Amino acid sequence: MRHSQQPAQGPLTGSVRVPGDKSISHRAVLFSAMTAGTCEITGVLDSADLRSTIGAVAALGAGVEIRRSRAGALDVTVTGWGQLGPKADDDASIDCGNSGTTARLLLGLLAGHPGDVTLTGDASLSKRPMRRVTEPLARMGAAFDASDNGTLPMTVHGGALRAIDYDMPIASAQVKSAVLLAGLSAQGRTTVREPAASRDHTERLLPAFGVDVGRDIETRACWVDGPARLSPTDVAVPGDPSSAAFLVGAAAIVPGSEVRVTDVALNPTRIGFLRVLERMGADVLIRPGRASGAEPCGELSIRGGRLLTGVLVCASEAPSLIDEVPLLAVVAAMAAGTTRFEGVGELRVKESDRLAAIAQGLTALGVNVRSGDDWLEVDGPTVFRGTTLDSLGDHRLAMAWAVAGLVADGPVTIEGWDAIDVSYPTFAEDLGRLLDGGR
Ligand code: S3P
């Protein structure tokens, strides 16, 4: 499917509530499935990635009831497998679709339960690195059958696990979460230490399910004591800042815009993009509101038309904005001077090689851009050329190119537009409503 994004004829105005946070939705569904009771989760993101996680826990024996609440949101009742543990039918395989979070967290969850389960994924997920997860899990005692390069499809042979103390070579919330979930079935304390702070939703949400998570912020360590059981609880999922980023970024570069995003997660490990927009000179206001459980939430206001300038984005802040680099690169091309992103090599192993794809797409839009192994430099300001770009099946690229189309000298056509279903199926409607003045 293709989508032609027309240049904006006027500002974006109005208020919007974006769909539920993808990372929190995955965790709420997975943790609920591990309990021995019933959990009500409201505001779950209704997207292809979440359908993968919901399908997976149902296939592994959890009871799942789904109701659509508002556009883009699901209320999900999950009855967990509890002491029975996850059980798949013989020869059944679990399709994780495009979702790295589903695959990696499931590997950790399944590692500590006797039985063999095969995980598969789409063409993109089948190329993504899994050794970063299977390596620590193997040290704990799990075994895996995978292709030569350690990717999906993969069979997990779960069983009794040993607790480990693990220094992660990369900052990855998926790896950290997988090891902690495995640690829940191991005997003793499982500790994970990361080189930079990745998103901490697992650490914040597990305590709501009755599991203590120890944390030392200074050494970036966290730990669980196993074996531990999860108790049922209810979870309200706040809006996804990574989805909000596309609307916020669009408002920042379309003069006269005034956009408010309500009920959005404001977890500090997720909102690095707001700090960067502020440094560029954008008029962003963060208004903290009532927390959702242990997740800080609130409202964002953004006014467009400020003169933006290029900035340095350091490696230490990369994990807090890694998913927002495609959008930030588009905004950077509208800012005066050079924006340099450092320590963003992880972009090469996301849903696509995002570093290469951003450089290629921006070049086609007429931008001067340079990239290396783990850095990206974008010069601005540029008047984007209307052109045709391929999403490469990557949701965040598709939406970033649509934002560029708003300020281009002609339509920007995006091939593979349906990729947006992975995280933000109602993006075009929400953007259209803001372009219509919030009606
Ligand atoms: C996610 C973690 C991040 C992020 C991904 C979702 C998660 O990846 O890019 O979109 O929900 O844990 P890392 O595992 O590299 O941190």
mmCIF file of all heavy atoms in Angstrom, residues 131-154:
data_model
loop_
_atom_site.group_PDB
_atom_site.id
_atom_site.type_symbol
_atom_site.label_atom_id
_atom_site.label_comp_id
_atom_site.label_asym_id
_atom_site.label_seq_id
_atom_site.Cartn_x
_atom_site.Cartn_y
_atom_site.Cartn_z
ATOM 1 N N ARG A 131 21.411 -13.398 19.505
ATOM 2 C CA ARG A 131 22.467 -13.926 20.402
ATOM 3 C C ARG A 131 22.626 -13.050 21.628
ATOM 4 O O ARG A 131 23.001 -13.517 22.686
ATOM 5 C CB ARG A 131 23.806 -13.977 19.665
ATOM 6 C CG ARG A 131 23.875 -15.133 18.724
ATOM 7 C CD ARG A 131 25.283 -15.700 18.599
ATOM 8 N NE ARG A 131 25.234 -16.828 17.683
ATOM 9 C CZ ARG A 131 25.584 -16.771 16.421
ATOM 10 N NH1 ARG A 131 26.066 -15.656 15.916
ATOM 11 N NH2 ARG A 131 25.472 -17.835 15.664
ATOM 12 N N ARG A 132 22.337 -11.767 21.477
ATOM 13 C CA ARG A 132 22.432 -10.863 22.624
ATOM 14 C C ARG A 132 21.537 -11.336 23.768
ATOM 15 O O ARG A 132 21.778 -11.025 24.922
ATOM 16 C CB ARG A 132 22.049 -9.451 22.184
ATOM 17 C CG ARG A 132 20.724 -9.394 21.457
ATOM 18 C CD ARG A 132 20.328 -8.011 20.988
ATOM 19 N NE ARG A 132 21.269 -7.404 20.065
ATOM 20 C CZ ARG A 132 21.293 -6.118 19.772
ATOM 21 N NH1 ARG A 132 20.416 -5.309 20.323
ATOM 22 N NH2 ARG A 132 22.153 -5.626 18.923
ATOM 23 N N VAL A 133 20.476 -12.115 23.429
ATOM 24 C CA VAL A 133 19.574 -12.666 24.445
ATOM 25 C C VAL A 133 19.933 -14.119 24.757
ATOM 26 O O VAL A 133 19.991 -14.524 25.923
ATOM 27 C CB VAL A 133 18.099 -12.599 23.965
ATOM 28 C CG1 VAL A 133 17.167 -13.175 25.011
ATOM 29 C CG2 VAL A 133 17.698 -11.177 23.637
ATOM 30 N N THR A 134 20.187 -14.916 23.721
ATOM 31 C CA THR A 134 20.413 -16.344 23.967
ATOM 32 C C THR A 134 21.747 -16.586 24.697
ATOM 33 O O THR A 134 21.868 -17.556 25.437
ATOM 34 C CB THR A 134 20.380 -17.158 22.653
ATOM 35 O OG1 THR A 134 21.301 -16.590 21.726
ATOM 36 C CG2 THR A 134 18.984 -17.147 22.052
ATOM 37 N N GLU A 135 22.687 -15.678 24.496
ATOM 38 C CA GLU A 135 23.995 -15.865 25.153
ATOM 39 C C GLU A 135 23.842 -15.830 26.695
ATOM 40 O O GLU A 135 24.199 -16.802 27.376
ATOM 41 C CB GLU A 135 24.970 -14.813 24.608
ATOM 42 C CG GLU A 135 26.425 -15.169 24.759
ATOM 43 C CD GLU A 135 27.010 -14.600 26.029
ATOM 44 O OE1 GLU A 135 26.548 -13.525 26.476
ATOM 45 O OE2 GLU A 135 27.906 -15.240 26.594
ATOM 46 N N PRO A 136 23.279 -14.767 27.291
ATOM 47 C CA PRO A 136 23.103 -14.810 28.754
ATOM 48 C C PRO A 136 22.131 -15.910 29.198
ATOM 49 O O PRO A 136 22.339 -16.523 30.255
ATOM 50 C CB PRO A 136 22.565 -13.418 29.101
ATOM 51 C CG PRO A 136 22.084 -12.818 27.826
ATOM 52 C CD PRO A 136 22.899 -13.440 26.739
ATOM 53 N N LEU A 137 21.099 -16.179 28.396
ATOM 54 C CA LEU A 137 20.135 -17.209 28.813
ATOM 55 C C LEU A 137 20.787 -18.593 28.793
ATOM 56 O O LEU A 137 20.491 -19.444 29.638
ATOM 57 C CB LEU A 137 18.890 -17.188 27.920
ATOM 58 C CG LEU A 137 18.039 -15.909 27.984
ATOM 59 C CD1 LEU A 137 16.864 -15.991 27.008
ATOM 60 C CD2 LEU A 137 17.531 -15.644 29.401
ATOM 61 N N ALA A 138 21.712 -18.815 27.849
ATOM 62 C CA ALA A 138 22.426 -20.093 27.805
ATOM 63 C C ALA A 138 23.313 -20.231 29.041
ATOM 64 O O ALA A 138 23.435 -21.307 29.626
ATOM 65 C CB ALA A 138 23.257 -20.191 26.530
ATOM 66 N N ARG A 139 23.907 -19.097 29.468
ATOM 67 C CA ARG A 139 24.722 -19.150 30.704
ATOM 68 C C ARG A 139 23.865 -19.539 31.894
ATOM 69 O O ARG A 139 24.354 -20.104 32.868
ATOM 70 C CB ARG A 139 25.311 -17.775 31.002
ATOM 71 C CG ARG A 139 26.485 -17.450 30.172
ATOM 72 C CD ARG A 139 27.292 -16.388 30.891
ATOM 73 N NE ARG A 139 27.808 -15.452 29.906
ATOM 74 C CZ ARG A 139 28.448 -14.335 30.210
ATOM 75 N NH1 ARG A 139 28.619 -14.003 31.480
ATOM 76 N NH2 ARG A 139 28.890 -13.552 29.282
ATOM 77 N N MET A 140 22.583 -19.212 31.822
ATOM 78 C CA MET A 140 21.680 -19.562 32.927
ATOM 79 C C MET A 140 21.241 -21.028 32.848
ATOM 80 O O MET A 140 20.649 -21.549 33.787
ATOM 81 C CB MET A 140 20.443 -18.643 32.920
ATOM 82 C CG MET A 140 20.796 -17.181 33.130
ATOM 83 S SD MET A 140 19.371 -16.065 33.046
ATOM 84 C CE MET A 140 18.704 -16.214 34.710
ATOM 85 N N GLY A 141 21.477 -21.663 31.686
ATOM 86 C CA GLY A 141 21.156 -23.085 31.565
ATOM 87 C C GLY A 141 20.141 -23.416 30.487
ATOM 88 O O GLY A 141 19.820 -24.586 30.276
ATOM 89 N N ALA A 142 19.631 -22.422 29.761
ATOM 90 C CA ALA A 142 18.671 -22.707 28.686
ATOM 91 C C ALA A 142 19.424 -23.136 27.429
ATOM 92 O O ALA A 142 20.601 -22.815 27.273
ATOM 93 C CB ALA A 142 17.827 -21.473 28.397
ATOM 94 N N ALA A 143 18.744 -23.879 26.556
ATOM 95 C CA ALA A 143 19.363 -24.283 25.290
ATOM 96 C C ALA A 143 18.488 -23.814 24.134
ATOM 97 O O ALA A 143 17.265 -23.692 24.281
ATOM 98 C CB ALA A 143 19.534 -25.797 25.262
ATOM 99 N N PHE A 144 19.135 -23.554 23.002
ATOM 100 C CA PHE A 144 18.416 -23.013 21.842
ATOM 101 C C PHE A 144 18.881 -23.707 20.580
ATOM 102 O O PHE A 144 20.080 -23.959 20.431
ATOM 103 C CB PHE A 144 18.705 -21.507 21.693
ATOM 104 C CG PHE A 144 18.324 -20.715 22.913
ATOM 105 C CD1 PHE A 144 19.256 -20.498 23.930
ATOM 106 C CD2 PHE A 144 17.046 -20.204 23.054
ATOM 107 C CE1 PHE A 144 18.916 -19.793 25.071
ATOM 108 C CE2 PHE A 144 16.695 -19.494 24.196
ATOM 109 C CZ PHE A 144 17.623 -19.286 25.210
ATOM 110 N N ASP A 145 17.921 -23.986 19.672
ATOM 111 C CA ASP A 145 18.274 -24.434 18.321
ATOM 112 C C ASP A 145 17.917 -23.300 17.390
ATOM 113 O O ASP A 145 16.741 -22.921 17.305
ATOM 114 C CB ASP A 145 17.410 -25.638 17.906
ATOM 115 C CG ASP A 145 17.960 -26.912 18.478
ATOM 116 O OD1 ASP A 145 19.185 -26.964 18.687
ATOM 117 O OD2 ASP A 145 17.152 -27.827 18.722
ATOM 118 N N ALA A 146 18.922 -22.772 16.707
ATOM 119 C CA ALA A 146 18.648 -21.649 15.809
ATOM 120 C C ALA A 146 19.426 -21.850 14.526
ATOM 121 O O ALA A 146 20.209 -22.796 14.399
ATOM 122 C CB ALA A 146 19.066 -20.340 16.469
ATOM 123 N N SER A 147 19.211 -20.972 13.574
ATOM 124 C CA SER A 147 19.995 -21.004 12.348
ATOM 125 C C SER A 147 21.452 -20.667 12.708
ATOM 126 O O SER A 147 21.736 -20.232 13.822
ATOM 127 C CB SER A 147 19.441 -19.969 11.370
ATOM 128 O OG SER A 147 19.497 -18.701 11.988
ATOM 129 N N ASP A 148 22.362 -20.824 11.734
ATOM 130 C CA ASP A 148 23.787 -20.639 12.009
ATOM 131 C C ASP A 148 24.105 -19.266 12.583
ATOM 132 O O ASP A 148 24.989 -19.117 13.412
ATOM 133 C CB ASP A 148 24.618 -20.848 10.737
ATOM 134 C CG ASP A 148 24.742 -22.330 10.445
ATOM 135 O OD1 ASP A 148 24.384 -23.131 11.350
ATOM 136 O OD2 ASP A 148 25.163 -22.676 9.328
ATOM 137 N N ASN A 149 23.387 -18.257 12.093
ATOM 138 C CA ASN A 149 23.690 -16.928 12.635
ATOM 139 C C ASN A 149 22.864 -16.574 13.860
ATOM 140 O O ASN A 149 22.813 -15.406 14.264
ATOM 141 C CB ASN A 149 23.600 -15.845 11.550
ATOM 142 C CG ASN A 149 22.445 -16.078 10.625
ATOM 143 O OD1 ASN A 149 21.626 -16.963 10.891
ATOM 144 N ND2 ASN A 149 22.351 -15.314 9.571
ATOM 145 N N GLY A 150 22.242 -17.574 14.439
ATOM 146 C CA GLY A 150 21.585 -17.379 15.731
ATOM 147 C C GLY A 150 20.294 -16.579 15.675
ATOM 148 O O GLY A 150 19.878 -16.002 16.679
ATOM 149 N N THR A 151 19.666 -16.540 14.504
ATOM 150 C CA THR A 151 18.435 -15.748 14.362
ATOM 151 C C THR A 151 17.198 -16.656 14.397
ATOM 152 O O THR A 151 17.317 -17.883 14.443
ATOM 153 C CB THR A 151 18.470 -14.993 13.022
ATOM 154 O OG1 THR A 151 18.791 -15.920 11.989
ATOM 155 C CG2 THR A 151 19.529 -13.892 13.043
ATOM 156 N N LEU A 152 16.005 -16.054 14.363
ATOM 157 C CA LEU A 152 14.772 -16.834 14.253
ATOM 158 C C LEU A 152 14.731 -17.461 12.859
ATOM 159 O O LEU A 152 15.338 -16.921 11.947
ATOM 160 C CB LEU A 152 13.544 -15.937 14.435
ATOM 161 C CG LEU A 152 13.363 -15.231 15.783
ATOM 162 C CD1 LEU A 152 11.959 -14.606 15.836
ATOM 163 C CD2 LEU A 152 13.574 -16.138 16.975
ATOM 164 N N PRO A 153 14.004 -18.557 12.659
ATOM 165 C CA PRO A 153 13.260 -19.329 13.647
ATOM 166 C C PRO A 153 14.194 -20.037 14.629
ATOM 167 O O PRO A 153 15.301 -20.430 14.278
ATOM 168 C CB PRO A 153 12.491 -20.347 12.788
ATOM 169 C CG PRO A 153 13.217 -20.399 11.491
ATOM 170 C CD PRO A 153 13.887 -19.083 11.306
ATOM 171 N N MET A 154 13.675 -20.190 15.839
ATOM 172 C CA MET A 154 14.501 -20.718 16.910
ATOM 173 C C MET A 154 13.640 -21.541 17.868
ATOM 174 O O MET A 154 12.501 -21.165 18.147
ATOM 175 C CB MET A 154 15.087 -19.518 17.648
ATOM 176 C CG MET A 154 15.957 -19.874 18.814
ATOM 177 S SD MET A 154 16.507 -18.401 19.670
ATOM 178 C CE MET A 154 17.469 -17.596 18.453
#
